[in-house]
Structures are given as C-alpha cells and as structure tokens.
Amino acid sequence: MKNLILQLPGNLLLWLRCMLLTGCVLSASILLAEEEDENAGSLRIISETAEYSAAIYIREEEEGSVPKDDKDEDKKRSTIGIGEYVKLTLNGKPQLIGKVSKLKWSIMAGEKFAEITAEKEGVRSVTIQAKKDISSGGTVTAQVATEIGVTKEFSLTVVVPSGIEAKHRRKSYDREDPNFNERGVPSATVDGDVSRAGAGALLELTFQPTTVNFKEIYIMERDKGTKPTPVPSLATVHTPNPKPLKLSNKNRMFDNIFSFRGMAVLKLHTLPQNWYWICDWNCHANGKDTFTIKTVNQNFSYSWINRARNEATVTVSKFGRSVTRTTEPNNTHDFK
C-alpha cells in the first residue's frame, strides 16, 4: 500500500496529504468545541468561585492589571477559604444529564466544612459556601445524581487563615501617585513634635494564604495581658477595638500601633522602661471567637537621649515592624 501511494502523481499525493491534515485539524477542533460547549461531551462538574483569590487582587494593586486568562483560571480553583462561595455546575450531553428537574445535589463528605446554600434539587448549578465558624480546614465532596442514578463528584479543599504578614501602610494606594511605592504612615504622633515623646504607625495586615479569599470573615483582636510583672509605671492596659473587623478582598485589614507621653509627664518616671502587650488575633463568627490565628506581642520602649534637654526616644513594634521617633529638633518617624 505504501508503495502504491508513493507511485501516485505528485499533485494527487499533495492533495491526499492536505486532506489528511485537514481531517486532523477538524477532529481537533471538534474535540475542543465539545470541551468548551457545556452541552457536549461526558458528564463533568465545573467550579467557579464567586471571588478571585486575594493574590489576584494584590497583583492588580501591584501591577495595575492581571491577564484575563490568569483571572479565569483562578476562579476554577478547588481550594477555597472559609466563608468563600463557589458555584458547581453539571455539564455534558443532555441525554446524559437527563431531566434537570430530577437532578439531586448533596454533600457526601465534609459537611462540617461547607454547605449548599440554596436549591439542591432540580438545578444544574448549586452554590456552596465554606463555613465561617470552623477552626480547621478539610475536604468537602459534593455529588450530583441524575434521574437514572448516574453520579458525579467534585472535591473542594477548605482552608482557614494560617498566618498574618505585616507591612507598613503605603503612603498612597493610587498607583499614579508618586508615593505609591513609599511605605510608612505616622499615627497619633507627628514629625517635629518636641512636646510629646512617642511614635506611631499604621500597619497593613494580610492574612495568609492569599491563594484563597477571606473577604467574608471577621477578625477580632483580644488582649491577653501586659508583661513583665510588675508592669512598669508608664505601661497602660491594652483596649483593642471591641468590634470584629471584616477583611477586604485582598485578605487585608489595618492595625494602628502607637504610644506617647507628654514631656512633663515623662519626666516624672524613671527611664528606660520596656513592656509589651500580648495580643491574640482570632477568627470571629456568629458572635464568638472560633480560633486564634496568631499571638503576637506589641512592644514599647522609652528611654532618654538627654533628660536635661527633654530629648527622649520611643519605639513601638508589632508583627516584626517597628516605628521610632525622638524628641530631638527636626525629628521624623523611622519605619522599619
């Protein structure tokens, strides 16, 4: 047969080659079309999260834009954060799906981690939400059954916040602003002040992992005491915000760290003095704390540079970030 093909006239041989190539291309196109057509091919469950992961929103902040393909792919992820919504849709040939009114969805495993939020029967798509009040993550298996008993399953992994990354707040969050790439914003104290010793800063906290989205959850900071014992005379009691705060779509919130004393008051105390607050950062749902994400210390340090000239230095630090200011002439905040 091979010898016969080789003996064909050149133009006929070329025609045969073109037909074979065209057939391959058409077959590939048909297969691709079936993959893209929700009403073609074998039964399969497609997932789509309601939000992009925090990493996508952070990239948009840093880079200005994110390619659509990257964003579309991100929404297909099967790992979600607590509180996150994901839509599951049954796709395939109509004859395989059967009557949509007979479809039944259920959570086969991992009910403690997620739930179907609306209709479970007679629909091709359901919305699943990862529960907010759990203290650990796990695997959820959703199943849909057709009228003839054929089933398809889809597994999701639910994760809880596992850590907190801190940076000094940007001077501007407008990418067109020259201060966009500058970090360090004073809080409660100002550059140049010589009448009060103190330092303060706003911290940008990002809850990890950013590969999911935690925008549906709330965070509560709790005071766990002041050390050392007995506490220094300058130390005060920590009174965190009494209200839980919701995270943004970047898994983000801000924390305000500061301390200051008027110079007249400061001179009534013996320096140096150092102390710290113990701070629990908790997930909060249904009116109660569910678990502690991280325990950190907020550290304070007061010391004299020159008492006779009313020159003191103060440092406040938390999450590995610090701010220092002196009361020397022309002082400025030093962010590290």
Side-chain angles (χ1 to χ4, degrees):
M1 182 66 179
K2 181 178 179 181
N3 291 334
L4 287 174
I5 292 174
L6 291 175
Q7 292 172 14
L8 290 173
N11 56 347
L12 182 57
L13 184 59
L14 179 61
W15 178 81
L16 282 172
R17 287 175 176 171
C18 289
M19 290 300 292
L20 286 170
L21 180 60
T22 301
C24 291
V25 171
L26 285 173
S27 297
S29 299
I30 291 169
L31 288 172
L32 181 60
E34 284 199 350
E35 288 179 2
E36 294 176 349
D37 185 355
E38 64 181 25
N39 297 313
S42 58
L43 290 180
R44 60 201 181 280
I45 295 176
I46 306 299
S47 68
E48 181 182 15
T49 57
E51 290 282 345
Y52 300 117
S53 68
I56 293 292
Y57 293 109
I58 292 171
R59 278 182 63 189
E60 285 184 326
E61 179 180 280
E62 296 282 352
E63 303 170 14
S65 64
V66 175
K68 184 178 183 302
D69 287 349
D70 288 2
K71 297 174 79 170
D72 290 345
E73 190 63 29
D74 181 87
K75 281 202 166 187
K76 296 177 183 177
R77 57 194 159 83
S78 58
T79 298
I80 59 175
I82 55 173
E84 217 176 333
Y85 292 91
V86 58
K87 181 173 76 172
L88 299 184
T89 301
L90 178 65
N91 286 347
K93 293 179 179 178
Q95 58 267 38
L96 296 178
I97 293 175
K99 293 181 181 179
V100 172
S101 62
K102 299 296 184 180
L103 294 178
K104 294 183 179 181
W105 292 84
S106 59
I107 301 292
M108 297 299 294
E111 284 186 298
K112 66 176 288 187
F113 302 116
E115 60 187 350
I116 297 174
T117 62
E119 294 298 326
K120 301 178 183 179
E121 297 185 13
V123 290
R124 282 181 59 177
S125 297
V126 292
T127 297
I128 291 178
Q129 184 182 23
K131 294 182 179 180
K132 303 176 187 179
D133 59 354
I134 55 179
S135 58
S136 61
T139 301
V140 178
T141 302
Q143 183 188 86
V144 61
T146 69
E147 62 179 319
I148 62 171
V150 174
T151 61
K152 293 299 291 185
E153 294 184 352
F154 191 91
S155 291
L156 294 164
T157 300
V158 176
V159 299
V160 301
S162 57
I164 306 172
E165 179 187 14
K167 295 181 180 180
H168 283 289
R169 183 168 183 159
R170 293 184 188 275
K171 290 185 176 180
S172 172
Y173 282 85
D174 178 0
R175 295 191 74 260
E176 304 303 318
D177 191 307
N179 289 320
F180 175 76
N181 290 317
E182 296 293 326
R183 290 186 179 271
V185 178
S187 169
T189 52
V190 297
D191 290 344
D193 186 3
V194 296
S195 64
R196 295 191 308 172
L202 293 170
L203 300 182
E204 174 191 284
L205 307 183
T206 303
F207 289 72
Q208 304 296 318
T210 57
T211 50
V212 299
N213 197 295
F214 291 127
K215 69 166 285 187
E216 296 296 330
I217 69 170
Y218 287 82
I219 302 297
M220 178 74 85
E221 182 185 15
R222 299 289 189 186
D223 172 54
K224 303 301 289 185
T226 304
K227 296 291 183 179
T229 304
V231 298
S233 59
L234 279 174
T236 57
V237 175
H238 184 202
T239 54
N241 191 328
K243 296 181 179 180
L245 297 177
K246 193 177 184 182
L247 295 182
S248 73
N249 59 14
K250 300 182 182 74
N251 293 3
R252 188 178 290 170
M253 62 178 288
F254 295 96
D255 189 26
N256 189 2
I257 63 171
F258 65 89
S259 182
F260 59 84
R261 301 289 186 276
M263 194 56 65
V265 172
L266 193 63
K267 295 188 80 168
L268 299 176
H269 298 265
T270 301
L271 301 185
Q273 288 193 23
N274 300 277
W275 72 94
Y276 60 92
W277 293 336
I278 304 171
C279 314
D280 273 0
W281 286 79
N282 303 324
C283 271
H284 188 87
N286 302 327
K288 64 180 181 180
D289 296 344
T290 53
F291 72 100
T292 299
I293 303 167
K294 190 179 182 72
T295 299
V296 298
N297 294 337
Q298 183 166 329
N299 304 287
F300 304 88
S301 175
Y302 279 76
S303 61
W304 288 114
I305 298 172
N306 189 311
R307 189 176 187 279
R309 294 201 302 262
N310 290 339
E311 294 175 354
T313 183
V314 178
T315 297
V316 184
S317 64
K318 194 176 185 179
F319 293 106
R321 301 292 174 177
S322 70
V323 57
T324 300
R325 190 182 69 88
T326 75
T327 53
E328 295 173 300
N330 303 313
N331 63 76
T332 58
H333 286 74
D334 182 22
F335 302 96
K336 292 182 180 176

PDB file of all heavy atoms in Angstrom, residues 265-286:
ATOM      1  N   VAL A 265       4.915  64.796  81.827  1.00  0.00           N
ATOM      2  CA  VAL A 265       4.562  63.526  82.464  1.00  0.00           C
ATOM      3  C   VAL A 265       5.748  62.574  82.426  1.00  0.00           C
ATOM      4  O   VAL A 265       6.058  61.889  83.415  1.00  0.00           O
ATOM      5  CB  VAL A 265       3.346  62.891  81.760  1.00  0.00           C
ATOM      6  CG1 VAL A 265       3.096  61.482  82.283  1.00  0.00           C
ATOM      7  CG2 VAL A 265       2.111  63.754  81.937  1.00  0.00           C
ATOM      8  N   LEU A 266       6.424  62.523  81.291  1.00  0.00           N
ATOM      9  CA  LEU A 266       7.537  61.584  81.129  1.00  0.00           C
ATOM     10  C   LEU A 266       8.626  61.831  82.165  1.00  0.00           C
ATOM     11  O   LEU A 266       9.225  60.879  82.684  1.00  0.00           O
ATOM     12  CB  LEU A 266       8.113  61.716  79.710  1.00  0.00           C
ATOM     13  CG  LEU A 266       9.078  60.611  79.275  1.00  0.00           C
ATOM     14  CD1 LEU A 266       8.384  59.262  79.234  1.00  0.00           C
ATOM     15  CD2 LEU A 266       9.684  60.937  77.926  1.00  0.00           C
ATOM     16  N   LYS A 267       8.847  63.083  82.531  1.00  0.00           N
ATOM     17  CA  LYS A 267       9.932  63.413  83.460  1.00  0.00           C
ATOM     18  C   LYS A 267       9.623  62.990  84.895  1.00  0.00           C
ATOM     19  O   LYS A 267      10.498  63.035  85.770  1.00  0.00           O
ATOM     20  CB  LYS A 267      10.240  64.907  83.395  1.00  0.00           C
ATOM     21  CG  LYS A 267      10.787  65.332  82.029  1.00  0.00           C
ATOM     22  CD  LYS A 267      11.289  66.750  81.992  1.00  0.00           C
ATOM     23  CE  LYS A 267      12.680  66.835  82.589  1.00  0.00           C
ATOM     24  NZ  LYS A 267      13.341  68.139  82.328  1.00  0.00           N
ATOM     25  N   LEU A 268       8.373  62.566  85.135  1.00  0.00           N
ATOM     26  CA  LEU A 268       8.006  62.060  86.460  1.00  0.00           C
ATOM     27  C   LEU A 268       8.382  60.585  86.627  1.00  0.00           C
ATOM     28  O   LEU A 268       8.262  60.040  87.721  1.00  0.00           O
ATOM     29  CB  LEU A 268       6.499  62.222  86.686  1.00  0.00           C
ATOM     30  CG  LEU A 268       5.952  63.656  86.658  1.00  0.00           C
ATOM     31  CD1 LEU A 268       4.431  63.643  86.804  1.00  0.00           C
ATOM     32  CD2 LEU A 268       6.599  64.493  87.756  1.00  0.00           C
ATOM     33  N   HIS A 269       8.841  59.930  85.547  1.00  0.00           N
ATOM     34  CA  HIS A 269       9.130  58.493  85.575  1.00  0.00           C
ATOM     35  C   HIS A 269      10.620  58.233  85.359  1.00  0.00           C
ATOM     36  O   HIS A 269      11.321  59.022  84.707  1.00  0.00           O
ATOM     37  CB  HIS A 269       8.334  57.773  84.497  1.00  0.00           C
ATOM     38  CG  HIS A 269       6.852  57.872  84.675  1.00  0.00           C
ATOM     39  ND1 HIS A 269       6.107  56.910  85.302  1.00  0.00           N
ATOM     40  CD2 HIS A 269       5.980  58.856  84.322  1.00  0.00           C
ATOM     41  CE1 HIS A 269       4.840  57.272  85.323  1.00  0.00           C
ATOM     42  NE2 HIS A 269       4.736  58.455  84.726  1.00  0.00           N
ATOM     43  N   THR A 270      11.043  57.120  85.888  1.00  0.00           N
ATOM     44  CA  THR A 270      12.425  56.694  85.685  1.00  0.00           C
ATOM     45  C   THR A 270      12.517  55.915  84.375  1.00  0.00           C
ATOM     46  O   THR A 270      11.725  55.010  84.115  1.00  0.00           O
ATOM     47  CB  THR A 270      12.895  55.799  86.851  1.00  0.00           C
ATOM     48  OG1 THR A 270      12.785  56.530  88.072  1.00  0.00           O
ATOM     49  CG2 THR A 270      14.330  55.340  86.639  1.00  0.00           C
ATOM     50  N   LEU A 271      13.476  56.265  83.541  1.00  0.00           N
ATOM     51  CA  LEU A 271      13.699  55.590  82.267  1.00  0.00           C
ATOM     52  C   LEU A 271      15.079  54.941  82.267  1.00  0.00           C
ATOM     53  O   LEU A 271      15.972  55.394  82.990  1.00  0.00           O
ATOM     54  CB  LEU A 271      13.587  56.589  81.113  1.00  0.00           C
ATOM     55  CG  LEU A 271      12.264  57.349  80.963  1.00  0.00           C
ATOM     56  CD1 LEU A 271      12.296  58.202  79.705  1.00  0.00           C
ATOM     57  CD2 LEU A 271      11.083  56.400  80.934  1.00  0.00           C
ATOM     58  N   PRO A 272      15.305  53.901  81.485  1.00  0.00           N
ATOM     59  CA  PRO A 272      14.406  53.368  80.444  1.00  0.00           C
ATOM     60  C   PRO A 272      13.307  52.486  81.018  1.00  0.00           C
ATOM     61  O   PRO A 272      13.444  51.949  82.125  1.00  0.00           O
ATOM     62  CB  PRO A 272      15.344  52.562  79.563  1.00  0.00           C
ATOM     63  CG  PRO A 272      16.400  52.070  80.505  1.00  0.00           C
ATOM     64  CD  PRO A 272      16.614  53.199  81.490  1.00  0.00           C
ATOM     65  N   GLN A 273      12.242  52.336  80.209  1.00  0.00           N
ATOM     66  CA  GLN A 273      11.155  51.417  80.540  1.00  0.00           C
ATOM     67  C   GLN A 273      10.769  50.645  79.276  1.00  0.00           C
ATOM     68  O   GLN A 273      10.688  51.210  78.184  1.00  0.00           O
ATOM     69  CB  GLN A 273       9.934  52.166  81.080  1.00  0.00           C
ATOM     70  CG  GLN A 273      10.120  52.712  82.482  1.00  0.00           C
ATOM     71  CD  GLN A 273       8.816  53.161  83.125  1.00  0.00           C
ATOM     72  OE1 GLN A 273       7.725  52.716  82.743  1.00  0.00           O
ATOM     73  NE2 GLN A 273       8.934  54.039  84.127  1.00  0.00           N
ATOM     74  N   ASN A 274      10.524  49.351  79.486  1.00  0.00           N
ATOM     75  CA  ASN A 274      10.132  48.476  78.378  1.00  0.00           C
ATOM     76  C   ASN A 274       9.019  47.543  78.849  1.00  0.00           C
ATOM     77  O   ASN A 274       9.092  47.009  79.961  1.00  0.00           O
ATOM     78  CB  ASN A 274      11.318  47.632  77.900  1.00  0.00           C
ATOM     79  CG  ASN A 274      12.471  48.480  77.404  1.00  0.00           C
ATOM     80  OD1 ASN A 274      12.472  48.914  76.269  1.00  0.00           O
ATOM     81  ND2 ASN A 274      13.463  48.705  78.271  1.00  0.00           N
ATOM     82  N   TRP A 275       8.029  47.358  78.024  1.00  0.00           N
ATOM     83  CA  TRP A 275       6.959  46.419  78.332  1.00  0.00           C
ATOM     84  C   TRP A 275       6.305  45.948  77.025  1.00  0.00           C
ATOM     85  O   TRP A 275       6.611  46.462  75.951  1.00  0.00           O
ATOM     86  CB  TRP A 275       5.917  47.039  79.269  1.00  0.00           C
ATOM     87  CG  TRP A 275       5.028  48.083  78.656  1.00  0.00           C
ATOM     88  CD1 TRP A 275       3.794  47.904  78.110  1.00  0.00           C
ATOM     89  CD2 TRP A 275       5.313  49.479  78.528  1.00  0.00           C
ATOM     90  NE1 TRP A 275       3.280  49.090  77.657  1.00  0.00           N
ATOM     91  CE2 TRP A 275       4.201  50.084  77.900  1.00  0.00           C
ATOM     92  CE3 TRP A 275       6.397  50.291  78.888  1.00  0.00           C
ATOM     93  CZ2 TRP A 275       4.134  51.433  77.617  1.00  0.00           C
ATOM     94  CZ3 TRP A 275       6.331  51.643  78.606  1.00  0.00           C
ATOM     95  CH2 TRP A 275       5.212  52.199  77.974  1.00  0.00           C
ATOM     96  N   TYR A 276       5.408  44.974  77.128  1.00  0.00           N
ATOM     97  CA  TYR A 276       4.699  44.527  75.917  1.00  0.00           C
ATOM     98  C   TYR A 276       3.306  44.021  76.261  1.00  0.00           C
ATOM     99  O   TYR A 276       3.053  43.536  77.367  1.00  0.00           O
ATOM    100  CB  TYR A 276       5.490  43.443  75.178  1.00  0.00           C
ATOM    101  CG  TYR A 276       5.766  42.179  75.956  1.00  0.00           C
ATOM    102  CD1 TYR A 276       4.904  41.085  75.890  1.00  0.00           C
ATOM    103  CD2 TYR A 276       6.920  42.050  76.739  1.00  0.00           C
ATOM    104  CE1 TYR A 276       5.165  39.916  76.572  1.00  0.00           C
ATOM    105  CE2 TYR A 276       7.188  40.885  77.435  1.00  0.00           C
ATOM    106  CZ  TYR A 276       6.309  39.825  77.350  1.00  0.00           C
ATOM    107  OH  TYR A 276       6.568  38.670  78.051  1.00  0.00           O
ATOM    108  N   TRP A 277       2.425  44.189  75.292  1.00  0.00           N
ATOM    109  CA  TRP A 277       1.080  43.617  75.361  1.00  0.00           C
ATOM    110  C   TRP A 277       1.088  42.286  74.615  1.00  0.00           C
ATOM    111  O   TRP A 277       1.678  42.170  73.533  1.00  0.00           O
ATOM    112  CB  TRP A 277       0.055  44.520  74.687  1.00  0.00           C
ATOM    113  CG  TRP A 277      -0.184  45.836  75.366  1.00  0.00           C
ATOM    114  CD1 TRP A 277       0.020  46.152  76.674  1.00  0.00           C
ATOM    115  CD2 TRP A 277      -0.691  47.026  74.745  1.00  0.00           C
ATOM    116  NE1 TRP A 277      -0.338  47.449  76.921  1.00  0.00           N
ATOM    117  CE2 TRP A 277      -0.773  48.024  75.752  1.00  0.00           C
ATOM    118  CE3 TRP A 277      -1.090  47.356  73.444  1.00  0.00           C
ATOM    119  CZ2 TRP A 277      -1.244  49.308  75.501  1.00  0.00           C
ATOM    120  CZ3 TRP A 277      -1.546  48.632  73.191  1.00  0.00           C
ATOM    121  CH2 TRP A 277      -1.622  49.594  74.209  1.00  0.00           C
ATOM    122  N   ILE A 278       0.390  41.306  75.157  1.00  0.00           N
ATOM    123  CA  ILE A 278       0.197  40.041  74.462  1.00  0.00           C
ATOM    124  C   ILE A 278      -1.149  40.129  73.732  1.00  0.00           C
ATOM    125  O   ILE A 278      -2.181  40.422  74.347  1.00  0.00           O
ATOM    126  CB  ILE A 278       0.199  38.858  75.442  1.00  0.00           C
ATOM    127  CG1 ILE A 278       1.501  38.852  76.259  1.00  0.00           C
ATOM    128  CG2 ILE A 278       0.034  37.532  74.692  1.00  0.00           C
ATOM    129  CD1 ILE A 278       1.497  37.855  77.409  1.00  0.00           C
ATOM    130  N   CYS A 279      -1.125  39.900  72.419  1.00  0.00           N
ATOM    131  CA  CYS A 279      -2.314  40.122  71.589  1.00  0.00           C
ATOM    132  C   CYS A 279      -2.681  38.856  70.812  1.00  0.00           C
ATOM    133  O   CYS A 279      -1.874  38.336  70.047  1.00  0.00           O
ATOM    134  CB  CYS A 279      -2.068  41.256  70.590  1.00  0.00           C
ATOM    135  SG  CYS A 279      -1.305  42.738  71.302  1.00  0.00           S
ATOM    136  N   ASP A 280      -3.920  38.388  71.017  1.00  0.00           N
ATOM    137  CA  ASP A 280      -4.447  37.269  70.230  1.00  0.00           C
ATOM    138  C   ASP A 280      -5.222  37.821  69.032  1.00  0.00           C
ATOM    139  O   ASP A 280      -6.055  38.729  69.181  1.00  0.00           O
ATOM    140  CB  ASP A 280      -5.398  36.412  71.063  1.00  0.00           C
ATOM    141  CG  ASP A 280      -4.675  35.331  71.844  1.00  0.00           C
ATOM    142  OD1 ASP A 280      -3.439  35.246  71.741  1.00  0.00           O
ATOM    143  OD2 ASP A 280      -5.352  34.582  72.574  1.00  0.00           O
ATOM    144  N   TRP A 281      -4.971  37.237  67.855  1.00  0.00           N
ATOM    145  CA  TRP A 281      -5.720  37.603  66.654  1.00  0.00           C
ATOM    146  C   TRP A 281      -6.581  36.408  66.271  1.00  0.00           C
ATOM    147  O   TRP A 281      -6.065  35.346  65.898  1.00  0.00           O
ATOM    148  CB  TRP A 281      -4.762  37.998  65.525  1.00  0.00           C
ATOM    149  CG  TRP A 281      -4.175  39.351  65.801  1.00  0.00           C
ATOM    150  CD1 TRP A 281      -3.155  39.641  66.654  1.00  0.00           C
ATOM    151  CD2 TRP A 281      -4.619  40.586  65.254  1.00  0.00           C
ATOM    152  NE1 TRP A 281      -2.937  41.004  66.670  1.00  0.00           N
ATOM    153  CE2 TRP A 281      -3.812  41.607  65.820  1.00  0.00           C
ATOM    154  CE3 TRP A 281      -5.609  40.949  64.341  1.00  0.00           C
ATOM    155  CZ2 TRP A 281      -3.974  42.959  65.499  1.00  0.00           C
ATOM    156  CZ3 TRP A 281      -5.775  42.285  64.006  1.00  0.00           C
ATOM    157  CH2 TRP A 281      -4.965  43.268  64.594  1.00  0.00           C
ATOM    158  N   ASN A 282      -7.902  36.595  66.392  1.00  0.00           N
ATOM    159  CA  ASN A 282      -8.844  35.490  66.286  1.00  0.00           C
ATOM    160  C   ASN A 282      -9.800  35.637  65.107  1.00  0.00           C
ATOM    161  O   ASN A 282     -10.185  36.759  64.738  1.00  0.00           O
ATOM    162  CB  ASN A 282      -9.696  35.398  67.559  1.00  0.00           C
ATOM    163  CG  ASN A 282      -8.862  35.236  68.815  1.00  0.00           C
ATOM    164  OD1 ASN A 282      -7.830  34.570  68.802  1.00  0.00           O
ATOM    165  ND2 ASN A 282      -9.288  35.847  69.900  1.00  0.00           N
ATOM    166  N   CYS A 283     -10.209  34.498  64.548  1.00  0.00           N
ATOM    167  CA  CYS A 283     -11.366  34.490  63.655  1.00  0.00           C
ATOM    168  C   CYS A 283     -12.610  34.619  64.519  1.00  0.00           C
ATOM    169  O   CYS A 283     -12.664  34.092  65.638  1.00  0.00           O
ATOM    170  CB  CYS A 283     -11.414  33.197  62.852  1.00  0.00           C
ATOM    171  SG  CYS A 283     -10.504  33.278  61.305  1.00  0.00           S
ATOM    172  N   HIS A 284     -13.612  35.316  63.980  1.00  0.00           N
ATOM    173  CA  HIS A 284     -14.816  35.597  64.762  1.00  0.00           C
ATOM    174  C   HIS A 284     -16.040  35.329  63.893  1.00  0.00           C
ATOM    175  O   HIS A 284     -16.145  35.846  62.777  1.00  0.00           O
ATOM    176  CB  HIS A 284     -14.799  37.060  65.209  1.00  0.00           C
ATOM    177  CG  HIS A 284     -15.879  37.427  66.169  1.00  0.00           C
ATOM    178  ND1 HIS A 284     -15.744  37.270  67.536  1.00  0.00           N
ATOM    179  CD2 HIS A 284     -17.118  37.942  65.966  1.00  0.00           C
ATOM    180  CE1 HIS A 284     -16.842  37.681  68.131  1.00  0.00           C
ATOM    181  NE2 HIS A 284     -17.699  38.092  67.197  1.00  0.00           N
ATOM    182  N   ALA A 285     -16.967  34.512  64.394  1.00  0.00           N
ATOM    183  CA  ALA A 285     -18.175  34.192  63.627  1.00  0.00           C
ATOM    184  C   ALA A 285     -19.317  33.894  64.584  1.00  0.00           C
ATOM    185  O   ALA A 285     -19.113  33.337  65.671  1.00  0.00           O
ATOM    186  CB  ALA A 285     -17.934  32.992  62.709  1.00  0.00           C
ATOM    187  N   ASN A 286     -20.521  34.288  64.179  1.00  0.00           N
ATOM    188  CA  ASN A 286     -21.724  34.024  64.977  1.00  0.00           C
ATOM    189  C   ASN A 286     -21.598  34.518  66.413  1.00  0.00           C
ATOM    190  O   ASN A 286     -22.039  33.871  67.371  1.00  0.00           O
ATOM    191  CB  ASN A 286     -22.058  32.529  64.964  1.00  0.00           C
ATOM    192  CG  ASN A 286     -22.270  31.994  63.563  1.00  0.00           C
ATOM    193  OD1 ASN A 286     -22.759  32.687  62.688  1.00  0.00           O
ATOM    194  ND2 ASN A 286     -21.887  30.743  63.336  1.00  0.00           N
TER     195      ASN A 286
END
